[in-house]
């Protein structure tokens, strides 16, 4: 999990700063775009959403709840919201689109 610390549901701006081995003030100076903790959380959630997208393709036997949990989301609602924010579609729409691609390839 060290290489993907964002999978910890409690990973936040403070944890990101610690991961980078700096204090929060230094982090905010180094990355002014993420001065606001909410904006930092959006970034963290985008990493989680990318991880979830890979898991959706690789683990078709997992439930959406499993994917959400294993990607670091505290709830399915947060997962759906972050995924839609990152990709413009819900995880279910994404999965349906991937399924359709594979069906067309196999046809």
């Amino acid at each position: 999990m060290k290489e993907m610390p964002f999978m910890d549901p409690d990973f936040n701006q403070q944890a990101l700063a610690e991961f980078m081995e700096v204090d929060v003030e230094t982090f905010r100076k180094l990355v002014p775009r993420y001065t606001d903790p909410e904006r930092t959380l959006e970034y963290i959630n985008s990493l989680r959403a990318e991880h979830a997208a890979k898991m959706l393709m690789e683990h078709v036997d997992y439930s959406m709840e499993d994917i959400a949990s294993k990607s670091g989301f505290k709830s399915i609602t947060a997962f759906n919201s972050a995924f839609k924010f990152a990709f413009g579609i819900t995880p279910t729409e994404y999965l349906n689109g991937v399924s359709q691609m594979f069906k067309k390839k196999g046809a």
Side-chain angles (χ1 to χ4, degrees):
M1 183 118 91
K2 180 73 173 161
E3 66 278 350
M4 292 190 286
F6 59 84
M7 291 172 52
D8 176 349
D10 295 320
F11 194 73
N12 58 17
Q13 185 182 64
Q14 176 70 41
L16 180 56
E18 288 172 11
F19 179 76
M20 295 175 63
E21 299 180 354
V22 297
D23 60 54
V24 173
E25 290 309 311
T26 303
F27 170 80
R28 290 176 180 165
K29 288 176 186 168
L30 289 170
V31 193
R33 176 180 198 173
Y34 298 120
T35 299
D36 178 8
E38 285 302 311
R39 189 142 185 201
T40 305
L41 185 57
E42 286 175 0
Y43 167 69
I44 292 167
N45 280 340
S46 72
L47 296 175
R48 291 174 176 151
E50 286 179 28
H51 179 73
K54 289 178 190 166
M55 289 189 71
L56 284 167
M57 290 179 28
E58 296 170 359
H59 301 282
V60 293
D61 55 322
Y62 286 8
S63 70
M64 287 294 177
E65 289 81 6
D66 287 339
I67 299 285
S69 172
K70 293 176 185 299
S71 297
F73 292 99
K74 291 184 179 184
S75 72
I76 194 73
T77 303
F79 169 54
N80 286 329
S81 177
F83 198 96
K84 185 156 187 163
F85 183 80
F87 295 106
I89 57 175
T90 66
T92 302
E93 292 168 332
Y94 177 85
L95 191 55
N96 290 340
V98 168
S99 295
Q100 290 300 319
M101 275 191 332
F102 285 119
K103 284 181 185 175
K104 287 179 184 176
K105 271 187 169 180

